[in-house]
Amino acid sequence: MNLPAKSPSASETRHRILDAAEVLFVEHGFEATSMRMITGAARANLAAVNYHFGSKDALIQEVFRRRLTELNRQRLAALDRLEADAGGAALKPSRIVEAYFGTALQLAADTEHGGHTFMRLLGRTYTEPNAFIRKFLAEEYAGVLERFRAALYRALPDVPREEILWRFHFMMGAMSYAIAGTDGLQLFAGRFDDADPVRLMPRLMSFLLGGLRAPLAGFEQACDDQPGRAAA
Amino acid sequence: MNLPAKSPSASETRHRILDAAEVLFVEHGFEATSMRMITGAARANLAAVNYHFGSKDALIQEVFRRRLTELNRQRLAALDRLEADAGGAALKPSRIVEAYFGTALQLAADTEHGGHTFMRLLGRTYTEPNAFIRKFLAEEYAGVLERFRAALYRALPDVPREEILWRFHFMMGAMSYAIAGTDGLQLFAGRFDDADPVRLMPRLMSFLLGGLRAPLAGFEQACDDQPGRAAA
Amino acid sequence: MNLPAKSPSASETRHRILDAAEVLFVEHGFEATSMRMITGAARANLAAVNYHFGSKDALIQEVFRRRLTELNRQRLAALDRLEADAGGAALKPSRIVEAYFGTALQLAADTEHGGHTFMRLLGRTYTEPNAFIRKFLAEEYAGVLERFRAALYRALPDVPREEILWRFHFMMGAMSYAIAGTDGLQLFAGRFDDADPVRLMPRLMSFLLGGLRAPLAGFEQACDDQPGRAAA
Amino acid sequence: MNLPAKSPSASETRHRILDAAEVLFVEHGFEATSMRMITGAARANLAAVNYHFGSKDALIQEVFRRRLTELNRQRLAALDRLEADAGGAALKPSRIVEAYFGTALQLAADTEHGGHTFMRLLGRTYTEPNAFIRKFLAEEYAGVLERFRAALYRALPDVPREEILWRFHFMMGAMSYAIAGTDGLQLFAGRFDDADPVRLMPRLMSFLLGGLRAPLAGFEQACDDQPGRAAA
DNA sequence: CATGAATGAGACTTCATTCAT
DNA sequence: AATGAATGAAGTCTCATTCAT
């Protein structure tokens, strides 16, 4: 099984280009990655990108589309399952957050099929200056975000909706940076002995939910300011 | 002090270039911002950048240096004050976080003198792929981070050090994205009626501390999963 | 005859390519018309041109050949008829000019079957810099021009032969430009309310014959310098 | 005198590029002339065209502008002189034609400073398919043509204005082709022993005026159909 | 008879940088 | 202190063409 696809319609070159581009985009960024670098790494002709995708921009778009379509499909499926299980009752916010960020973290933990690579790329791209990329990313996300936004509104009826959006925003930032920034800047170079993406999940999820549950205004709650110890 | 800058070494052209570059770097990124764009916006000769700074990379470095030096000086000063006030006792973690992130948020709230612009740039740069930029940013931060890391270790003696680093990491991500991503991707386009950077501060701070205080492992704490209401 | 073209050698794709190429060549020129444009407009595969014609140059050649062969056949037939009618006597120069240019103008008046399109293309091609095109056009014309040159020599025995050639040259220029330039440059934009190619014929023919009959050297003939009014 | 201009502001490279481009455009056409060919011939760097002109199109435009401005200035000056001499009386049509076409032919006779080269280029360009070139040529000509059109209308008050425009059109065609086509297609290859552009002038002028004076409609005027012999 | 995939060559343009002035 | 001219390298993209199917 898993024989190399010989069918020309599956265009094996096309896939090699997408894979090579994904890796190089993470490593050097979109602008600094030249078509020559991509086709070189993909063992393809320089003109192959334009032949298969039309332009560099279209290639970038396809790199995202093939992964995001699947990721967001899984996110929606997870949310569907939650709602089906709840049977009309309001969902627990933590479950919603898990459905959204857990799915992404699972993809980020996949180091075998490029999932980790892609999530690093995606994390960085949220602050991408290129207008074209921003635009189609927003379009690609529109549907999913709408669903999760509505779910959170229902789950947190007493929280001002604007605050919900902000916290969702903060959570996305924490996750993006956690994934994209770790191998990048390495501000605490050498100190992350354990950058295993698998173990990132519980750490990040705990942080995110802590942030989500934090008191709404001000931060001078009477507390000892120490992380709590989870009940076993 | 504060003499009228008559000195030719203070070269007004130099400042115009730095200001123009800062704005353009935020808008288009480093690679996509050409020397022509910079010198054009700064009403300077194309060769002026190389004349004043030596190279594009050196210009980038200087754009960061002039702001980061001051920002990190303020951070250290805030930490010094805290420690002086505590008189040898352990600091409250929330105060440390305030000293680090509050200072940055104050700069981000300054829309008059380019502070906001710079913080957006800085936020994006944490995930910058360019090796040269990563390297000097790490150097620029080394001292401050060392101090704050040590302070947090002392303030949270019972928390595994690795976990402290991770949470610091998550907090930086949430802040960076909150500042850099807001005007960028706009995933929830049009829904942020209130993107005022001044009001960002309490919101973000509350979220960060919530994350910092979250239970360490797992997230099935017995709680109602709702954000708390701060005591007045 | 007129059997339904079932023969595969008549390949309908071939004709669609020729028709599309003719139109595009007029619109954009040879160099600026790519094989993609041609096969796209002809709803054919990109490789179809090379398959059917061998190369782009061969296609260009065929676009001309299929029309020129017929046009020049008609020209020769008209001249044959004139000579047959004259029964050995010298021909009137105006009849010869009519045989040559009138035939072309008739083709140019055919807007139904691409004749107009082709004549615009032909008109422009007389000044085509491409060596290959010049060469085969010259060959294609060699026979016809030889016959008409000889006829004019006979019809105008007192006029230096060099002058005859020059005037023939001038006439071709006037006609080419009249056909090719009208829809193109439009120097007098909007002023040609009547660009009907059918009505072009008498106008141009009158001009050509006026030029042909003009005094040979100098131009200070005693005349009122006004166009004559034709006798009804 | 005529020392090589050392001043950098006169940018000698710029002129070399313009001269080289003019020659190559005549020889190969705009599309088939690459920037490499131009800068190669001008002994300049490949980037020099973009530095001095901004783009290939802008270079094309400048090639025309520098010559056409002068040519049309001379045409207007000639017309001004005619009108001044006439002192309010109507001009002879032949004088107007001389002012317009004679000036052009004089430039075409200048083989020393590229005038001949340029006129061949100009002649071909009247049927140029490239929309951009057509547009700016039309603009460049607008003023001159307006003046000459008005002058011809005044000089030929009894001739329908539309007919005047057509004949002007025909004359431009005859001239363009006479200049541009001679060295090009060479339909009568080898037969023009005397292609001397200086001697072209009286020949063409005679033809043009013959066409201008031709009877207006139909061409069956009672005449012997022979070119007249000019009165000495 | 026809086509999808692929390619080598070359197109125009832009880049950061240098240098003489 | 500053600049206009110039350049080598490299960018993306399009070209006509080929070939296995």
Side-chain angles (χ1 to χ4, degrees), chain D residues 138-155:
Chain D
E139 287 169 5
E140 194 78 31
Y141 264 100
V144 193
L145 288 178
E146 188 57 28
R147 279 286 309 275
F148 277 86
R149 192 177 54 77
L152 281 172
Y153 283 178
R154 268 198 78 207

Side-chain angles (χ1 to χ4, degrees), chain B residues 107-219:
Chain B
L107 183 55
D110 165 30
T111 53
E112 295 293 306
H113 309 87
H116 181 65
T117 301
F118 173 71
M119 284 305 295
R120 285 178 59 198
L121 179 60
L122 183 60
R124 176 174 340 121
T125 310
Y126 285 130
T127 53
E128 172 65 36
N130 182 309
F132 150 79
I133 296 177
R134 276 210 312 266
K135 185 165 180 300
F136 98 74
L137 252 197
E139 288 169 2
E140 193 77 31
Y141 264 100
V144 193
L145 288 177
E146 188 57 28
R147 280 286 309 277
F148 276 86
R149 191 176 54 78
L152 281 172
Y153 284 178
R154 268 198 75 208
L156 299 165
D158 297 333
V159 182
R161 301 191 155 189
E162 201 177 353
E163 301 301 323
I164 295 177
L165 287 187
W166 274 111
R167 297 222 160 158
F168 202 81
H169 216 59
F170 297 154
M171 288 191 277
M172 288 192 69
M175 183 192 68
S176 301
Y177 189 65
I179 295 173
T182 306
D183 330 64
L185 189 48
Q186 287 289 30
L187 286 179
F188 300 99
R191 301 199 186 270
F192 285 107
D193 302 329
D194 180 17
D196 178 11
V198 174
R199 302 200 35 193
L200 173 59
M201 169 115 69
R203 281 184 170 125
L204 179 57
M205 213 50 99
S206 173
F207 178 86
L208 293 184
L209 292 175
L212 179 63
R213 292 177 190 130
L216 273 178
F219 37 89

Side-chain angles (χ1 to χ4, degrees), chain A residues 94 124 126-127 156 158 162-163 167 169 173 177 184-185 194 203 206 213 215-217 225-226 228-230, chain B residues 94 124 126-127 134 156 158 162-163 167 173 177 185 194 203 206 213 215-217 223 225-230:
Chain A
S94 62
R124 172 163 358 108
Y126 285 131
T127 53
L156 299 165
D158 297 332
E162 203 176 352
E163 301 301 323
R167 296 221 161 158
H169 216 60
Y177 189 65
L185 188 49
D194 179 18
R203 282 183 170 126
S206 175
R213 292 178 190 130
L216 272 179
D225 230 13
Q226 303 282 334
R229 294 280 172 178
Chain B
S94 63
R124 176 174 340 121
Y126 285 130
T127 53
R134 276 210 312 266
L156 299 165
D158 297 333
E162 201 177 353
E163 301 301 323
R167 297 222 160 158
Y177 189 65
L185 189 48
D194 180 17
R203 281 184 170 125
S206 173
R213 292 177 190 130
L216 273 178
C223 86
D225 231 10
Q226 304 282 334
R229 294 283 171 174

Side-chain angles (χ1 to χ4, degrees), chain C residues 178-194:
Chain C
I179 295 173
T182 306
D183 329 66
L185 188 49
Q186 286 290 31
L187 286 180
F188 301 99
R191 301 198 186 271
F192 283 107
D193 301 329
D194 180 18

Side-chain angles (χ1 to χ4, degrees), chain D residues 14-15 18 21-22 25 30 52-53 56-74 107 118 121-122 125 132-133 136-141 144:
Chain D
R14 218 186 105 98
H15 288 112
L18 284 169
E22 195 172 61
F25 285 157
F30 301 119
H52 284 287
F53 302 95
K56 188 183 180 182
D57 274 1
L59 167 64
I60 294 175
Q61 190 157 353
E62 182 59 18
V63 164
F64 281 92
R65 204 203 46 72
R66 69 167 180 169
R67 299 264 191 199
L68 276 184
T69 299
E70 174 60 14
L71 172 61
N72 284 335
R73 201 195 53 71
Q74 288 182 18
L107 183 55
F118 173 71
L121 179 61
L122 183 60
T125 310
F132 147 78
I133 296 177
F136 98 74
L137 253 198
E139 287 169 5
E140 194 78 31
Y141 264 100
V144 193

Side-chain angles (χ1 to χ4, degrees), chain C residues 25-32 92-95 98 100 123-130 133-135 137-138 141-142 145-146 149 153 155-160 162-163 165-178 180-188 191-196 199-232, chain D residues 25-32 92-95 98 100 123-130 133-135 137-138 141-142 145-146 149 153 155-160 162-163 165-178 180-188 191-196 199-232:
Chain C
F25 286 157
V26 169
E27 206 164 341
H28 305 102
F30 301 117
E31 291 270 352
K92 280 187 71 173
S94 63
R95 297 289 172 212
E98 272 181 71
Y100 190 88
R124 173 169 350 117
T125 311
Y126 285 130
T127 52
E128 172 64 36
N130 182 309
I133 296 177
R134 277 210 312 265
K135 186 166 179 299
L137 252 197
Y141 264 99
L145 287 177
E146 188 58 28
R149 193 177 53 77
Y153 284 177
L156 297 165
D158 298 333
V159 182
E162 201 177 354
E163 302 299 326
L165 287 187
W166 274 112
R167 297 222 161 158
F168 201 82
H169 216 61
F170 297 153
M171 288 191 278
M172 289 191 67
M175 183 191 67
S176 301
Y177 188 66
T182 306
D183 329 66
L185 188 49
Q186 286 290 31
L187 286 180
F188 301 99
R191 301 198 186 271
F192 283 107
D193 301 329
D194 180 18
D196 178 12
R199 303 198 37 192
L200 173 60
M201 169 114 70
R203 282 184 170 125
L204 178 58
M205 213 49 100
S206 173
F207 178 87
L208 294 183
L209 292 174
L212 179 62
R213 293 177 189 130
L216 272 179
F219 36 90
E220 48 275 295
Q221 215 178 8
C223 87
D224 63 356
D225 230 11
Q226 304 283 333
R229 295 282 171 175
Chain D
F25 285 157
V26 169
E27 206 164 341
H28 305 101
F30 301 119
E31 291 270 354
K92 280 187 71 173
S94 63
R95 295 293 171 206
E98 272 181 73
Y100 189 88
R124 174 171 348 116
T125 310
Y126 285 130
T127 53
E128 171 65 37
N130 183 311
I133 296 177
R134 278 211 311 266
K135 185 167 180 300
L137 253 198
Y141 264 100
L145 288 178
E146 188 57 28
R149 192 177 54 77
Y153 283 178
L156 299 165
D158 297 333
V159 182
E162 201 176 355
E163 303 299 324
L165 288 186
W166 275 111
R167 296 220 161 159
F168 201 83
H169 216 60
F170 297 153
M171 288 191 277
M172 288 192 69
M175 182 192 69
S176 299
Y177 190 64
T182 308
D183 332 63
L185 189 48
Q186 287 289 29
L187 285 179
F188 303 98
R191 299 198 188 272
F192 284 107
D193 303 328
D194 179 17
D196 177 12
R199 301 199 36 193
L200 172 60
M201 168 113 71
R203 282 183 170 126
L204 177 58
M205 212 50 98
S206 175
F207 177 86
L208 293 183
L209 291 175
L212 179 63
R213 292 177 189 130
L216 272 178
F219 38 89
E220 49 276 293
Q221 216 178 8
C223 86
D224 62 355
D225 231 11
Q226 303 282 335
R229 294 283 173 176

